[in-house]
Amino acid sequence: MRSSDEDSRLWEDGLAVVRTLENAGHQAYLVGGCVRDRWLGRPLNDIDIATSAEPAAVMALFSKTLPTGLKHGTVTVMEGGRPFEVTTFRREAGYSDGRRPDEVAFVREVEEDLARRDFTFNAMAFSSGGELIDPFGGQDALRAGVVDCVGNASERFGEDALRMLRAIRFAAELGFELLPDVWDGIVKQRSRLKQVALERIGAEWDKMIAGSGPEQAMHYLFKSGLLAYAKEPLPEAIVQAAERYRLNGSPWEWDPWGAAVSDEASLGHLLCLPSLPETDLRWAALLTGMNVGETDASALLRTLRIGGQRTARIASVAGFFERLSGCRPDEWRQGWIEAVLDFGRPVAEDALAVQEACGEPWDAARSWLEDMPIAAVAELNVKGDELSGYLQQPPGPWIARTLRQLLAEAASGRLPNEKFALLSAAKEMRASKREGSE
């Protein structure tokens, strides 16, 4: 996160770009999210600039530019090592794909450019002279703590269906409410989400999870029924849990042992999401509470185009809880040990972090983890070739099975991790296996 001094320098560098455009006879303003965040006193992410200058004129004024979106009037200007998106005032028409305008026309007035934007607090402009241009009541929305659309909400969402997810994200991130007509517009236009690419849905959903109000974002997301209209089908467990929440809400409680086997998804742990510092752990907590196991979690995250390493980590935590589900109280210690052996210590630590944030601390489970002398086959003091030689049997799948049995015994403390003890135990296991098969 930038410091306030860094934000001030970024703001001033943006105004310097504006002045360069003005000195050449063009209108120019800081616009959009940077103006909103400056008004709110929030950290700035980037600076966008709108101008009456067309792209060729912008590129002629600055020594280093990138033609990042000439079709839509956008040039990236590099100043002081920073990128600034400079876009020509424009109006838009026709959104046949539910995402991008079919036609773009350059215009001369900033107010006409602001009229095409999504939310009133994103439709403000700031001049180099300190004037705030706010034709649609963006400041009023910020003061009231509400998300309000420029013009008719249903029309705005009909133009660009991704705006429905952005409305939810902004409300949650800023701690704002969705105005009734905004909510109604989402419900009326939710079927248009089918026009939005899954990677864009995934990016918005990921930002919601990572933001400062993930529990509120998930409430709006599930209550809206949007997920049922994704372009590609989501795992049935996800859709069903979201639908139950939409219709009935859910109990506000967390059951680490029963959540994965309950007939009703327990989404009460939504309240704990902000206390988890990592986005991936928030995902894991969300999916576990939605009664989503490893396979469905992996399928969802792949569908949303979440990165492979992140998908593996999140799905493993969901699988860890799934592995524990159904254990009776007298089986908890052994179930925990087996889960650690299946998924590894790092996943167990992630599961503990989720549980400690979302429910009663698992003091016993943490103790079990700390007391485990080993947690992986590689830590056994015997190797597969030693088993084969000692038992005078050719290598085969039996070695992996036997090593896994030895690991379970050693990890639980029932067998010392010593070579002779392990070889002797393996001999007994193989003898029992032969007797059982006769």
Side-chain angles (χ1 to χ4, degrees), residues 117-123 147-150 157 163 166-167 170:
R117 297 174 184 265
D118 49 10
F119 309 113
T120 59
F121 50 53
N122 290 339
V147 177
D148 191 12
C149 287
V150 175
F157 299 144
R163 288 171 173 169
R166 284 169 52 81
F170 279 126

Side-chain angles (χ1 to χ4, degrees), residues 7-21 28-30 47-49 79 82 84 86 128:
D7 278 346
S8 294
R9 286 194 294 272
L10 178 61
W11 183 262
E12 290 303 322
D13 286 347
L15 287 175
V17 174
V18 167
R19 293 189 186 99
T20 298
L21 289 161
Y29 302 88
L30 304 184
I47 298 288
D48 290 334
I49 295 165
E79 283 291 305
R82 305 177 191 269
F84 297 89
V86 180
S128 62

